[in-house]
Amino acid sequence: MDRREIAALLAYIGRIDPRTIRTDQGEAADQLAQWHELLGDVPTATPYGWDALAAARQHTRTSPYPILPADIARPWESYRRDRLARHSDPTPSVDPDDQAAWAAELAGTRRAVATGTAQPSQARAITTGRDGADPRLEARLREIGSCIPPAARAALAPYRPARAAREAAVAQGLPDALSVRCAWCLAQPGEPCRRRRIGPDGGARGTAPCATHPSRLDLAAAQQPAQVQQPAAA
């Protein structure tokens, strides 16, 4: 804020809290100089949520004490920290080999976000999980069959014996037990079956992976024809 904007802010504060009004010309000049010194880098308002008048009004509503420059500066610093905390640096548009230009664009973007002239750029969430999966990603995976190339899958097999055995069973036409929910231990699709660990008092102390429960194998076998016929119908 420049001196004119500080004067307008003090005039507004004087209307809602007459205790801040300085009637002596010298005191008024000193007050204006002090507020400009402390709030010169704080804007009056930004396009995205900051308003110094609103901060002054909130203080007057909630505090019995006359407002000070710090009562405007503190909300402004909180506003800046919150915006930067929600910001993820986007990839600059300049040549990555030009380190100076790369750093300058990153700094300029952060400065614009912190000062409220640009919205924070939030990182896109990874599309994973049963409930939040992206339909486009699922369609693409069905089209290509797997996101892991066959050569990489074969190289990983010694380090993932359970997964490799499951894939080998599916390749032989056997039912994939992990494709269904286990009615016994309530393991979700894709998760192994688990057994409860019972403590001396009879209460459950935790769970540990175990062999697939027979009822889950039976359920997967019963649903296997529908799973096989679905791609053919499509």
Side-chain angles (χ1 to χ4, degrees):
M1 286 182 279
D2 56 27
R3 293 179 68 88
R4 179 183 57 82
E5 292 171 325
I6 291 291
L9 174 63
L10 288 172
Y12 173 77
I13 293 174
R15 288 198 300 272
I16 61 177
D17 185 2
R19 294 175 300 175
T20 62
I21 297 177
R22 301 292 183 266
T23 56
D24 181 82
Q25 186 174 0
E27 291 182 357
D30 290 342
Q31 183 188 44
L32 177 61
Q34 179 198 33
W35 281 63
H36 182 254
E37 176 69 21
L38 296 174
L39 301 179
D41 60 342
V42 177
T44 303
T46 68
Y48 302 108
W50 166 255
D51 188 343
L53 301 184
R57 184 167 58 251
Q58 178 66 15
H59 173 84
T60 305
R61 288 180 55 194
T62 59
S63 174
Y65 302 105
I67 192 170
L68 297 173
D71 298 317
I72 302 294
R74 278 196 301 266
W76 167 247
E77 294 301 329
S78 297
Y79 173 86
R80 285 168 50 90
R81 286 194 299 269
D82 175 70
R83 292 178 63 80
L84 287 175
R86 293 186 287 113
H87 177 66
S88 298
D89 291 321
T91 303
S93 58
V94 299
D95 183 359
D97 292 331
D98 189 343
Q99 185 175 0
W102 184 278
E105 184 170 335
L106 282 177
T109 302
R110 293 177 185 175
R111 191 179 307 111
V113 170
T115 56
T117 58
Q119 285 284 56
S121 176
Q122 299 193 13
R124 297 181 61 185
I126 299 175
T127 54
T128 186
R130 293 179 295 275
D131 299 329
D134 188 341
R136 295 173 298 177
L137 177 61
E138 292 180 345
R140 180 59 177 163
L141 287 176
R142 285 195 300 268
E143 179 183 348
I144 64 177
S146 173
C147 59
I148 303 179
R153 187 181 298 277
L156 290 172
Y159 305 98
R160 306 188 305 171
R163 177 82 181 192
R166 177 187 173 193
E167 293 172 352
V170 172
Q172 296 175 7
L174 299 177
D176 180 9
L178 269 63
S179 65
V180 297
R181 178 176 178 270
C182 182
W184 180 262
C185 66
L186 306 182
Q188 297 298 320
E191 299 178 357
C193 287
R194 308 185 72 86
R195 68 171 179 271
R196 291 186 177 182
R197 292 177 178 174
I198 306 300
D201 58 352
R205 297 297 186 186
T207 60
C210 66
T212 303
H213 292 117
S215 60
R216 192 176 191 181
L217 286 169
D218 295 340
L219 180 59
Q223 294 187 4
Q224 187 179 19
Q227 295 172 358
V228 172
Q229 292 173 10
Q230 186 176 358

